[in-house]
Amino acid sequence: MSLNRTEQTVHDHIVQRPEERRHWQDKVARLSARAADDHGAADAVAAELAAYCRERAGVAAEFRELVGKGGASGPSRLMLRSLAEQLLRQWATPRPKQRASDLSARGSAVGPSL
């Protein structure tokens, strides 16, 4: 997966610092477990990454640059979505795949198809 410049900067900062990496591994796993689906988990992780960028901008020059590019609010969640998805693939427990029989049984329980 290709990361944009903002995502690569955040990724490098996190993985090069063992305590940051452990913090984010735990956070990604928690957010994934709480989310209803993979999309919700990616949204939650991206929002946390954006907040992290804004917070770190006060103490790290590399983040000041990122926040400056995104305006007063810093990088948006959309700018960090690919990184969020990558971290979820790396650090979250994979969700079990639904079997086709489970999906068709659930679909028929909802009602007739139109």
Side-chain angles (χ1 to χ4, degrees):
M1 169 175 286
S2 177
L3 300 177
N4 65 39
R5 184 172 175 264
T6 298
E7 291 168 322
Q8 191 65 54
T9 300
V10 175
H11 176 268
D12 293 347
H13 183 85
I14 289 171
V15 299
Q16 291 171 356
R17 291 161 178 81
E19 59 196 42
E20 290 285 334
R21 185 175 51 247
R22 280 189 299 276
H23 168 78
W24 279 98
Q25 285 171 330
D26 292 342
K27 183 174 279 218
V28 166
R30 272 193 323 273
L31 291 170
S32 176
R34 280 191 227 149
D37 58 22
D38 291 339
H39 296 290
D43 284 343
V45 172
E48 288 293 325
L49 287 167
Y52 175 73
C53 288
R54 289 188 298 275
E55 181 265 326
R56 296 298 299 161
V59 294
E62 61 194 331
F63 285 93
R64 268 192 294 280
E65 221 176 278
L66 297 178
V67 170
K69 287 183 179 186
S73 63
S76 72
R77 290 184 330 195
L78 291 177
M79 290 177 68
L80 297 164
R81 179 68 184 229
S82 293
L83 176 57
E85 291 172 352
Q86 178 178 329
L87 296 179
L88 283 162
R89 278 193 300 280
Q90 288 176 339
W91 296 334
T93 303
R95 296 178 191 276
K97 300 274 186 202
Q98 288 188 329
R99 295 189 317 235
S101 61
D102 293 342
L103 291 173
S104 63
R106 191 175 68 184
S108 63
V110 173
S113 59
L114 300 174

mmCIF file of all heavy atoms in Angstrom, residues 40-57:
data_model
loop_
_atom_site.group_PDB
_atom_site.id
_atom_site.type_symbol
_atom_site.label_atom_id
_atom_site.label_comp_id
_atom_site.label_asym_id
_atom_site.label_seq_id
_atom_site.Cartn_x
_atom_site.Cartn_y
_atom_site.Cartn_z
ATOM 1 N N GLY A 40 -15.691 1.173 10.235
ATOM 2 C CA GLY A 40 -15.779 1.947 11.466
ATOM 3 C C GLY A 40 -14.459 1.979 12.209
ATOM 4 O O GLY A 40 -14.078 3.009 12.775
ATOM 5 N N ALA A 41 -13.752 0.868 12.196
ATOM 6 C CA ALA A 41 -12.449 0.810 12.854
ATOM 7 C C ALA A 41 -11.462 1.745 12.164
ATOM 8 O O ALA A 41 -10.727 2.488 12.824
ATOM 9 C CB ALA A 41 -11.917 -0.620 12.852
ATOM 10 N N ALA A 42 -11.451 1.745 10.835
ATOM 11 C CA ALA A 42 -10.549 2.628 10.089
ATOM 12 C C ALA A 42 -10.887 4.091 10.347
ATOM 13 O O ALA A 42 -9.987 4.927 10.500
ATOM 14 C CB ALA A 42 -10.602 2.311 8.599
ATOM 15 N N ASP A 43 -12.171 4.429 10.408
ATOM 16 C CA ASP A 43 -12.577 5.803 10.724
ATOM 17 C C ASP A 43 -12.082 6.213 12.112
ATOM 18 O O ASP A 43 -11.576 7.316 12.295
ATOM 19 C CB ASP A 43 -14.101 5.949 10.677
ATOM 20 C CG ASP A 43 -14.650 6.013 9.264
ATOM 21 O OD1 ASP A 43 -13.861 6.268 8.318
ATOM 22 O OD2 ASP A 43 -15.867 5.801 9.103
ATOM 23 N N ALA A 44 -12.240 5.321 13.086
ATOM 24 C CA ALA A 44 -11.828 5.623 14.456
ATOM 25 C C ALA A 44 -10.312 5.806 14.558
ATOM 26 O O ALA A 44 -9.834 6.747 15.199
ATOM 27 C CB ALA A 44 -12.296 4.520 15.403
ATOM 28 N N VAL A 45 -9.563 4.931 13.905
ATOM 29 C CA VAL A 45 -8.101 5.037 13.941
ATOM 30 C C VAL A 45 -7.645 6.306 13.226
ATOM 31 O O VAL A 45 -6.784 7.031 13.724
ATOM 32 C CB VAL A 45 -7.430 3.775 13.345
ATOM 33 C CG1 VAL A 45 -5.926 3.970 13.208
ATOM 34 C CG2 VAL A 45 -7.726 2.550 14.207
ATOM 35 N N ALA A 46 -8.241 6.614 12.077
ATOM 36 C CA ALA A 46 -7.872 7.825 11.342
ATOM 37 C C ALA A 46 -8.156 9.082 12.166
ATOM 38 O O ALA A 46 -7.353 10.018 12.175
ATOM 39 C CB ALA A 46 -8.613 7.880 10.009
ATOM 40 N N ALA A 47 -9.281 9.099 12.874
ATOM 41 C CA ALA A 47 -9.608 10.250 13.726
ATOM 42 C C ALA A 47 -8.587 10.389 14.855
ATOM 43 O O ALA A 47 -8.151 11.502 15.181
ATOM 44 C CB ALA A 47 -11.017 10.098 14.302
ATOM 45 N N GLU A 48 -8.188 9.277 15.446
ATOM 46 C CA GLU A 48 -7.181 9.311 16.518
ATOM 47 C C GLU A 48 -5.823 9.765 15.978
ATOM 48 O O GLU A 48 -5.102 10.498 16.649
ATOM 49 C CB GLU A 48 -7.055 7.942 17.183
ATOM 50 C CG GLU A 48 -8.236 7.577 18.049
ATOM 51 C CD GLU A 48 -8.366 8.448 19.289
ATOM 52 O OE1 GLU A 48 -7.327 8.848 19.861
ATOM 53 O OE2 GLU A 48 -9.502 8.726 19.689
ATOM 54 N N LEU A 49 -5.476 9.321 14.780
ATOM 55 C CA LEU A 49 -4.212 9.751 14.175
ATOM 56 C C LEU A 49 -4.215 11.254 13.901
ATOM 57 O O LEU A 49 -3.210 11.936 14.128
ATOM 58 C CB LEU A 49 -3.957 8.977 12.878
ATOM 59 C CG LEU A 49 -3.542 7.522 13.028
ATOM 60 C CD1 LEU A 49 -3.643 6.801 11.680
ATOM 61 C CD2 LEU A 49 -2.142 7.402 13.602
ATOM 62 N N ALA A 50 -5.345 11.781 13.441
ATOM 63 C CA ALA A 50 -5.447 13.227 13.179
ATOM 64 C C ALA A 50 -5.304 14.005 14.484
ATOM 65 O O ALA A 50 -4.597 15.023 14.539
ATOM 66 C CB ALA A 50 -6.768 13.550 12.487
ATOM 67 N N ALA A 51 -5.950 13.532 15.548
ATOM 68 C CA ALA A 51 -5.826 14.195 16.851
ATOM 69 C C ALA A 51 -4.388 14.117 17.358
ATOM 70 O O ALA A 51 -3.868 15.075 17.940
ATOM 71 C CB ALA A 51 -6.787 13.546 17.854
ATOM 72 N N TYR A 52 -3.745 12.985 17.129
ATOM 73 C CA TYR A 52 -2.348 12.797 17.530
ATOM 74 C C TYR A 52 -1.450 13.801 16.817
ATOM 75 O O TYR A 52 -0.567 14.402 17.435
ATOM 76 C CB TYR A 52 -1.942 11.363 17.200
ATOM 77 C CG TYR A 52 -0.496 11.032 17.435
ATOM 78 C CD1 TYR A 52 0.002 10.880 18.725
ATOM 79 C CD2 TYR A 52 0.366 10.821 16.371
ATOM 80 C CE1 TYR A 52 1.326 10.554 18.942
ATOM 81 C CE2 TYR A 52 1.689 10.488 16.581
ATOM 82 C CZ TYR A 52 2.168 10.357 17.866
ATOM 83 O OH TYR A 52 3.486 10.019 18.075
ATOM 84 N N CYS A 53 -1.681 14.011 15.519
ATOM 85 C CA CYS A 53 -0.881 14.979 14.762
ATOM 86 C C CYS A 53 -1.027 16.386 15.336
ATOM 87 O O CYS A 53 -0.043 17.111 15.487
ATOM 88 C CB CYS A 53 -1.296 14.980 13.290
ATOM 89 S SG CYS A 53 -0.774 13.527 12.389
ATOM 90 N N ARG A 54 -2.273 16.753 15.650
ATOM 91 C CA ARG A 54 -2.494 18.092 16.217
ATOM 92 C C ARG A 54 -1.806 18.231 17.569
ATOM 93 O O ARG A 54 -1.177 19.248 17.856
ATOM 94 C CB ARG A 54 -3.993 18.371 16.339
ATOM 95 C CG ARG A 54 -4.670 18.588 14.995
ATOM 96 C CD ARG A 54 -6.106 19.055 15.139
ATOM 97 N NE ARG A 54 -6.955 18.097 15.831
ATOM 98 C CZ ARG A 54 -7.576 17.078 15.239
ATOM 99 N NH1 ARG A 54 -7.433 16.889 13.951
ATOM 100 N NH2 ARG A 54 -8.338 16.261 15.932
ATOM 101 N N GLU A 55 -1.870 17.193 18.384
ATOM 102 C CA GLU A 55 -1.251 17.227 19.714
ATOM 103 C C GLU A 55 0.272 17.285 19.606
ATOM 104 O O GLU A 55 0.930 18.064 20.286
ATOM 105 C CB GLU A 55 -1.702 15.999 20.511
ATOM 106 C CG GLU A 55 -1.160 15.917 21.920
ATOM 107 C CD GLU A 55 0.092 15.061 22.020
ATOM 108 O OE1 GLU A 55 0.201 14.070 21.281
ATOM 109 O OE2 GLU A 55 0.959 15.398 22.844
ATOM 110 N N ARG A 56 0.849 16.491 18.730
ATOM 111 C CA ARG A 56 2.310 16.424 18.585
ATOM 112 C C ARG A 56 2.881 17.689 17.943
ATOM 113 O O ARG A 56 4.062 17.965 18.074
ATOM 114 C CB ARG A 56 2.719 15.208 17.754
ATOM 115 C CG ARG A 56 2.386 13.863 18.367
ATOM 116 C CD ARG A 56 3.064 13.607 19.683
ATOM 117 N NE ARG A 56 4.499 13.630 19.529
ATOM 118 C CZ ARG A 56 5.353 13.796 20.526
ATOM 119 N NH1 ARG A 56 4.916 13.937 21.744
ATOM 120 N NH2 ARG A 56 6.650 13.819 20.317
ATOM 121 N N ALA A 57 2.051 18.445 17.239
ATOM 122 C CA ALA A 57 2.522 19.664 16.571
ATOM 123 C C ALA A 57 3.089 20.669 17.567
ATOM 124 O O ALA A 57 3.935 21.483 17.207
ATOM 125 C CB ALA A 57 1.396 20.302 15.773
#
